[in-house]
Amino acid sequence: MAGKAPSGDPVQDAPEVSAPKHAAAGLPAVGHSLRMAHQQMGVRRTALTLIKVNQKDGFDCPGCAWPDPAHRSKAEFCENGAKAVAEEATLRRVTPDFFAEHPVSDLARRSGYWLGQQGRLTQPMYLPAGADRYEPVPWERAFEIIAEELTALASPDEALFYTSGRTSNEAAFLYQLFAREFGTNNLPDCSNMCHESSGSALSETIGIGKGSVLLEDLYRSDLIIVAGQNPGTNHPRMLSALEKAKAQGATIVTVNPLPEAGMQRFKNPQHAKGLVGGGTALSDLFLQIRLGGDQALFRALNSLLFQAEAEAPDTVLDHAFIDEHTHGFEDFAAAARATDWDEVLRATGLERAEIDRLLALVLKSKSIVVCWAMGLTQHKHSVPTIREVVNFLLLRGNIGRPGAGVCPVRGHSNVQGDRTMGIFERPAPAFLDALEKEFGFAPPREHGYDVVRSIRALRDGDAKVFFAMGGNFVAASPDTDATEAAMRKARLTVHVSTKLNRSHVVTGARALILPTLGRTEKDLQAGGPQFVTVEDSMGMVHASHGGLEPAGPHLLSEAAIITRLARAVLGPDSRVPWADFEADYSLIRDRISRVVPGFEDFNARVANPGGFTLPHAPRDSRTFPTATGKANFTAAPVEYPAVPEGRLLLQTLRSHDQYNTTIYGLDDRYRGIRGGRRVVLLNPEDAAAHGLADGAYVDLVSEWSDGSERRAPGFRVVHYPTTRGCAAAYYPETNVLVPLDHTADTSGTPASKSVLIRLEGGTDRPV
Ligand SMILES: Nc1nc2c(c(=O)[nH]1)N[C@H]1C(S)=C(S)[C@@H](COP(=O)(O)OP(=O)(O)OC[C@H]3O[C@@H](n4cnc5c(=O)[nH]c(N)nc54)[C@H](O)[C@@H]3O)O[C@H]1N2
Ligand SMILES: Nc1nc2c(c(=O)[nH]1)N[C@H]1C(S)=C(S)[C@@H](COP(=O)(O)OP(=O)(O)OC[C@H]3O[C@@H](n4cnc5c(=O)[nH]c(N)nc54)[C@H](O)[C@@H]3O)O[C@H]1N2
Ligand SMILES: [Mo]
């Protein structure tokens, strides 16, 4: 029934298991998404809301960051977008009565699924020091409490300002402005756990930490390699783009330890054929790689390109491009020629013939795009892995040409825009100069803390106030026990949120929950109705207009919360006209247009229904704003995770029924799992080697070089066609296994796709 949350907390470790699916979307996806939407919002609201998703007069889908095509269909959303919308537009409400009924100690025992299912937060809530119940608090008092704690700090650097990636450009710009006028660059964000490795590798090699392709490039591409990504679940609308690319002649290669259904076959729900027919086979070649083997794979491919060039000079490499636009070619060539094939085969788990097959496809393709997501970014050696992808593309001039380029597929719907707006703990000096010029205060220059450093700072007493603009920091971060202990040391934790989550119940001495509008809702301010803007994964900026009545009369927009907070904390001395910004967001956009390159004339250009495309020097003109002024080849040693006998590598990934820490349901339909999340997918031969039947229960125990161990108990074994030696289990349940210090070199991203584990335990289901 719409509006009612399940009462009990369901069992999550006894799923039904059937064979994995070989196709994604189609009719079951339509049915599934409508069922969930009806449960949350009823039939009428579902219909009225879903027709506005990603339409030019509607709102940007709060799901993923995949771009919208120029010609939009009437239903420009996917199954999981519909779930994301339903989760926000739900009719369920969390009121002060709910908090009176449920003390924090009770809520702390509930699952993340249960917490999220309770509905939308409706009033600001305050947890006083020593109390076990949140109580309602007026907004003004909430801002006073925050101001008390912030102004009592010995230094502004004792405060942390986290951002998750749904925050609009306008709110993100204000938020970083507030943090910097207050005096700190401590702006950790979800990107630190996500595509930071892409940003690091791309900034260094091509001069900009963003992808270089537009949708048209995918359609024009000859070869698309999708590595370390599960679009069928996480970016379902990408499947439509791949289908179209395929129809126009592209070959598609998938590199993944798992045979993900979406990459095998796609039944496009927008065509009758897709609904009832067999759909389109997407992947032409599937390389079932070992976890962490991608750097070795691309290095091997590069060495084969050199070999092919030696056999047929001037036919394989793009010498004109290399000579004119790149730096570091000779060193890289030497490294690639020295490739150790035994190592390649060990690291990738592939056969030489499979890599040769990929080579043949590469050699006959003029234009190549490489797409990737968390399978490439969350390893210790992620940055050199992505640099190797760049090397591969540079060799044949595949950057800055139609149909070719790098395509890191971003996660949260505005995570890329938040960065563009200055949510970054290591801002570029030019950005700070522009802020200083525009607002007349001197922003701090010293770098701030990223996510992992923020947790250490809390743990060590160097940070005392934690403020989050969205997200679910304690559940999304690694090393759950250490992170929770660190958070409990804070003096004050504040969450600007739409839904209840774990971070609201693992708090500092005092805590606040500040309920905010979601993107689906109307945003009415003193200056009239407001809209916000977002940037998608391909650097397109457009407006998002919410249409629903807000979830309650007490909600404030994110922008309003920041402006009021800023006034409470900074007082009349602030150089920023906060009240004006709250009343009229176009005034914020005017300032953005003067601070952030590419946003010139922002208000006028965003009035164009499709929005506008941000400049991207490598894509637009083959200019590379790097330290050398060229695109940089890099020659790092090949790395891959070492796995001792009897141990497995575990990746922590998403099921089909979750959005990060938001759990929509307990099914992972494409992988054949129903009604549970505590599962570990094991290759049947690995399971046999451990004497584990399908359905046995084990503890996952991670082991680290410092001798420490971490345990996640009670996982049901599922025999699954994953690469030998490579296990998989869902996040966030497995975040307990990933130590804080297990991060990617250079980017600092938690290496949550390569966790060394052993399996312990019996066969019976634990009670
Ligand atoms: N419905 C839904 N949509 C989402 C999200 C969600 O949770 N739910 N999350 C959003 C966010 S924030 C993000 S960042 C994206 C995440 O999108 P994805 O990166 O697709 O998410 P994951 O579930 O982490 O899947 C990682 C994929 O990489 C593969 N993989 C893991 N390790 C390796 C490796 O070493 N090599 C290779 N080649 N493959 C590997 C896994 O088998 C899996 O297919 O999705 C966004 N969209
Ligand atoms: N082990 C492991 N850990 C991971 C990952 C992994 O693959 N494995 N993936 C990592 C990745 S890629 C990411 S991006 C992070 C995600 O980290 P986060 O972005 O911090 O987590 P989410 O679960 O997306 O946050 C969900 C919460 O956001 C709030 N919210 C939703 N919409 C809005 C809104 O419009 N405004 C506001 N203010 N709040 C809103 C709701 O209260 C909801 O409970 O997790 C990372 N952690
Ligand atoms: Mo992400």
Side-chain angles (χ1 to χ4, degrees), residues 443-561:
R445 298 277 162 169
E446 209 175 300
H447 288 173
Y449 299 127
D450 63 5
V451 163
V452 167
R453 290 192 175 95
S454 293
I455 298 167
R456 290 196 195 114
L458 287 165
R459 178 194 66 193
D460 300 340
D462 296 330
K464 300 190 170 76
V465 173
F466 176 87
F467 188 105
M469 186 54 65
N472 183 2
F473 189 88
V474 299
S477 296
D479 221 347
T480 313
D481 296 341
T483 296
E484 293 196 347
M487 199 53 84
R488 292 188 198 279
K489 292 180 80 176
R491 278 197 205 144
L492 173 70
T493 50
V494 186
H495 287 88
V496 178
S497 308
T498 52
K499 302 288 293 273
L500 192 63
N501 67 44
R502 179 81 188 160
S503 298
H504 303 128
V505 298
V506 179
T507 69
R510 305 207 266 175
L512 284 160
I513 302 174
L514 306 181
T516 192
L517 294 177
R519 210 178 277 162
T520 52
E521 290 161 316
K522 287 181 189 153
D523 184 352
L524 188 63
Q525 302 295 342
Q530 305 296 318
F531 67 88
V532 294
T533 62
V534 292
E535 174 186 343
D536 67 33
S537 195
M538 295 182 175
M540 313 269 300
V541 178
H542 64 89
S544 174
H545 303 260
L548 296 175
E549 289 306 321
H554 302 290
L555 302 191
L556 290 181
S557 73
E558 293 183 339
I561 292 172

Side-chain angles (χ1 to χ4, degrees), residues 162 164 412 472 476 496 499 501 558 652 660-661 731 735 753:
Y162 175 70
S164 167
H412 266 302
N472 183 2
V496 178
K499 302 288 293 273
N501 67 44
E558 293 183 339
T652 62
N660 299 337
T661 69
Y731 125 81
N735 288 38
K753 294 286 189 275

Side-chain angles (χ1 to χ4, degrees), residues 327-446:
H327 175 269
F329 176 74
E330 288 307 331
D331 286 348
F332 170 64
R337 288 197 186 99
T339 297
D340 173 346
W341 275 91
D342 289 340
E343 185 171 62
V344 167
L345 301 184
R346 238 186 350 262
T348 60
L350 298 170
E351 287 174 16
R352 171 70 187 253
E354 295 178 283
I355 303 176
D356 285 336
R357 239 172 280 150
L358 175 55
L359 175 74
L361 295 176
V362 170
L363 288 175
K364 64 176 206 205
S365 302
K366 169 110 184 74
S367 299
I368 303 179
V369 174
V370 182
C371 302
W372 72 88
M374 298 304 100
L376 258 55
T377 65
Q378 297 176 333
H379 292 281
K380 183 166 185 303
H381 60 304
S382 280
V383 175
T385 298
I386 296 163
R387 286 194 204 127
E388 198 64 31
V389 171
V390 173
N391 288 335
F392 165 70
L393 291 168
L394 292 178
L395 280 179
R396 283 164 64 83
N398 273 311
I399 290 188
R401 181 150 64 59
V406 281
C407 184
V409 182
R410 307 296 304 248
H412 266 302
S413 52
N414 198 39
V415 62
Q416 184 157 318
D418 291 346
R419 263 302 157 83
T420 310
M421 291 299 118
I423 303 289
F424 193 24
E425 77 282 357
R426 290 172 285 137
F431 179 83
L432 298 178
D433 294 344
L435 272 189
E436 181 158 1
K437 182 154 170 272
E438 181 63 27
F439 293 100
F441 68 85
R445 298 277 162 169
E446 209 175 300

Side-chain angles (χ1 to χ4, degrees), residues 64 80 194-195 227-231 233-235 255-258 260 289-294 373-376 378-379 410-412 651-656 658-660 664 671 753:
C64 72
N80 280 344
C194 185
H195 266 293
Q229 195 197 344
N230 178 21
T233 285
N234 298 311
H235 305 90
V255 185
N256 202 308
L258 300 177
E260 305 283 27
I289 197 166
R290 283 182 59 81
L291 288 168
D294 303 83
M374 298 304 100
L376 258 55
Q378 297 176 333
H379 292 281
R410 307 296 304 248
H412 266 302
Q651 64 156 323
T652 62
L653 82 179
R654 291 154 175 82
S655 84
H656 193 61
Q658 75 182 86
Y659 194 95
N660 299 337
Y664 301 136
R671 299 194 185 111
K753 294 286 189 275

